């Protein structure tokens, strides 16, 4: 199985400041034939299902604010929230869909400082 | 508006079989998508259970494969999950979701299943 490791487990950021979450996979999730990284990011608020933020590592899902951006390639990825808003308080998960079993990171909890 | 709704018993006894159905509305389950089940134990992270295509092609998590069956009923626009021989560790919120080929873009609200006698 591909192990997804996120860091940090939690972080507190002031409103309007940048939040950065890292995700490392135990093997590359870059598919050579199409040069795509099979990596997605989700946001989950209490009592709600996860919401897809980005896929193919950096493609923002329709309707997602542009303050959310995904980057990285191979086995190292980052989700950046450029200017944290109060509604961004949530747990964030990365997920690889390169090979089954699909696996998720353990989650990163983002709070307001 | 596309919606997914998981339903089934909220309480299952140990050693019995958990059965859930995901009803899809506003979208044909026969479209070019996979459909999946994911679970989340209370206060914990997400675990992938498996995916199914409308043709019946399925992929299971090997950690659950011996106990899991996912099926699709295109006539009812539903897909289902059965998990046998459950224990307390199977207590979780179970989500159904749509996979358009780049992970899950649409999720149901989830249903809590508690395994307890």
């Amino acid at each position: 199985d591909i192990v997804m490791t996120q860091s940090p487990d939690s972080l507190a950021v002031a409103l309007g400041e940048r939040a950065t979450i890292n995700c490392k996979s135990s093997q590359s999730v870059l598919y050579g034939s199409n040069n795509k990284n099979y990596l997605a990011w989700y946001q989950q608020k209490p009592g709600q299902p996860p919401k897809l933020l980005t896929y193919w590592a950096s493609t923002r899902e329709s309707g997602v604010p542009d303050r959310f951006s995904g980057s990285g390639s191979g086995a190292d990825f980052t989700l950046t929230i450029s200017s944290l808003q109060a509604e961004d308080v949530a747990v964030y998960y990365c997920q690889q869909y390169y090979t089954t079993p699909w696996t998720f990171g353990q989650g990163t909890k983002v709070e307001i400082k | 508006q596309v919606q997914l709704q998981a339903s089934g018993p909220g309480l299952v006894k140990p050693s019995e079989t958990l059965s859930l159905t995901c009803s899809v509305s506003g979208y044909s389950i026969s479209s070019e998508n996979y459909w999946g089940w994911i679970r989340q134990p209370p206060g914990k992270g997400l675990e992938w259970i498996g995916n199914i295509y409308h043709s019946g092609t399925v992929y299971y998590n090997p950690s659950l494969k011996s106990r899991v069956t996912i099926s699709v009923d295109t006539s009812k626009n539903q897909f289902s999950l059965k998990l046998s021989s459950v224990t307390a560790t199977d207590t979780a919120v179970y989500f159904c979701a749509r996979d358009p080929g780049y992970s899950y873009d649409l999720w149901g609200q989830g249903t809590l299943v508690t395994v307890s006698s």
Side-chain angles (χ1 to χ4, degrees), chain A residues 51 60-66:
Chain A
K51 173 187 176 183
R60 198 178 299 113
E61 173 71 335
S62 175
V64 173
D66 60 8

Side-chain angles (χ1 to χ4, degrees), chain A residues 67-89:
Chain A
R67 63 180 180 273
F68 292 94
S69 63
S71 62
S73 185
D76 288 283
F77 302 91
T78 299
L79 177 70
T80 301
I81 310 172
S82 60
S83 176
L84 191 74
Q85 304 300 303
E87 61 265 32
D88 300 336
V89 169

Side-chain angles (χ1 to χ4, degrees), chain A residues 42 95-104, chain B residues 33-39 47-62 64 68-72 79-81 95-107:
Chain A
Y42 298 91
Q95 182 225 335
Q96 66 81 19
Y97 49 100
Y98 178 83
T99 186
T100 60
W102 292 4
T103 47
F104 294 85
Chain B
N33 293 277
Y34 277 87
W35 304 89
W37 289 98
I38 307 96
R39 69 180 183 178
E47 180 182 28
W48 179 72
I49 300 172
N51 270 14
I52 189 165
Y53 199 57
H54 66 81
S55 63
T57 301
V58 291
Y59 299 92
Y60 296 131
N61 191 324
L64 300 169
V68 173
T69 302
I70 297 175
S71 59
V72 64
F79 61 106
S80 299
L81 169 70
F95 296 102
C96 56
R98 182 180 73 179
D99 166 24
Y102 50 82
S103 206
Y104 296 113
D105 69 336
L106 190 64
W107 296 61

